[in-house]
Amino acid sequence: MVASVDSFQVALKHYQSGNLVESNRRLLELVKAQPRHDEAWHLLGVIEFAQGNPAEAVNYFHRATKIDDRSPKYLTNLGSALTAVGETSEAADCFERAIAGSPRHVEARTYLGIIRLQQGRLDEAQGCLEVALVTNPKAPQARLNLGNVFFEKQDLEKAAEQYEHALLADPECAEALLQLGKVCFEQARFEEAVKRLRHAAVLRPRVSEIQFRLAAALQKNDEHAKAVESFKRALAYQAKSFDGWMGLGESSLQLNNWEDAVSAFRNAIAVQPKSVDAQQKLD
């Protein structure tokens, strides 16, 4: 037993130093010799998940939970991996079991709240996330997703408050900046929307939704030259966006760039051939 403990600690140190290949190798040797070493199975799952292999992570986390089916840590990580492979129902069960064993487990409540949000069960999602924030008021993912709950409920003031809290905890959270930009846009606060979305675009320049929403806010702010730039960047990543081509055409018209406008509207028609609006722009 001492030997297995020492082996696990060596593997753990390799993991903590970023040497995942060597850690993985030693852990596989360990579980071959000690098949009921739950911590080793769990760490194998953590490594696979970190390397972008959630399906393999699920297998390892399952092995850990078969040995200790009450560990909130094991159940929460299993739930996260199941979520990543699209098994949200089984994932929710894992998070609920983790919460049953540890009622103030922030991650389990947050992830369960996210699933309930995705399912449209907004009141349940709100309850999960608010309890998580009682335990850790600075948890950025709980703040962000509670904001998303309020956004879905069309309570924009409360949504904005939660996104601001999320940004206090993590000023570089691009998703919070995007969502706050969307709130500002809905409130017709276009200058503030541009500010938030520009920051998000710096952090995630290749996310087409950010570029599209920035372009729309710039358009509303009568900054058509900059809107054109953002539309073009967004369309480089999502060329089949009808609204993107239409927006590019509209801003090009405002700048008297007739050739560019015609080209944009033609591309919009290529995406939606039956569009009356796009056809009328060319008539």
Side-chain angles (χ1 to χ4, degrees), residues 128-258:
C128 287
L129 295 164
E130 286 178 340
V131 172
L133 289 166
V134 169
T135 303
N136 182 6
K138 294 183 178 181
Q141 281 300 309
R143 288 288 182 190
L144 170 65
N145 284 285
L146 183 55
N148 292 341
V149 169
F150 288 130
F151 188 85
E152 290 297 319
K153 289 184 172 186
Q154 289 297 298
D155 192 337
L156 299 183
E157 292 295 333
K158 287 185 178 179
E161 180 182 2
Q162 294 304 319
Y163 297 142
E164 293 283 10
H165 278 297
L167 288 167
L168 285 174
D170 181 6
E172 304 294 278
C173 180
E175 189 174 354
L177 289 163
L178 167 60
Q179 291 300 112
L180 190 53
K182 288 163 65 175
V183 169
C184 293
F185 189 93
E186 290 292 324
Q187 295 173 326
R189 297 162 52 209
F190 301 120
E191 287 188 14
E192 184 66 16
V194 166
K195 174 184 174 183
R196 299 297 188 169
L197 292 165
R198 272 184 175 149
H199 189 178
V202 169
L203 296 170
R204 300 284 177 83
R206 296 189 177 187
V207 176
S208 59
E209 182 184 4
I210 294 174
Q211 295 290 352
F212 279 130
R213 291 191 179 276
L214 174 57
L218 287 163
Q219 201 172 54
K220 288 288 188 180
N221 216 33
D222 291 326
E223 298 181 63
H224 292 286
K226 292 177 180 177
V228 164
E229 293 175 7
S230 288
F231 277 124
K232 287 181 177 179
R233 280 194 292 269
L235 288 162
Y237 300 114
Q238 192 175 334
K240 293 185 177 181
S241 171
F242 174 79
D243 290 337
W245 288 116
M246 289 295 288
L248 177 58
E250 293 287 358
S251 281
S252 296
L253 279 180
Q254 293 295 323
L255 295 169
N256 296 323
N257 293 335
W258 312 113

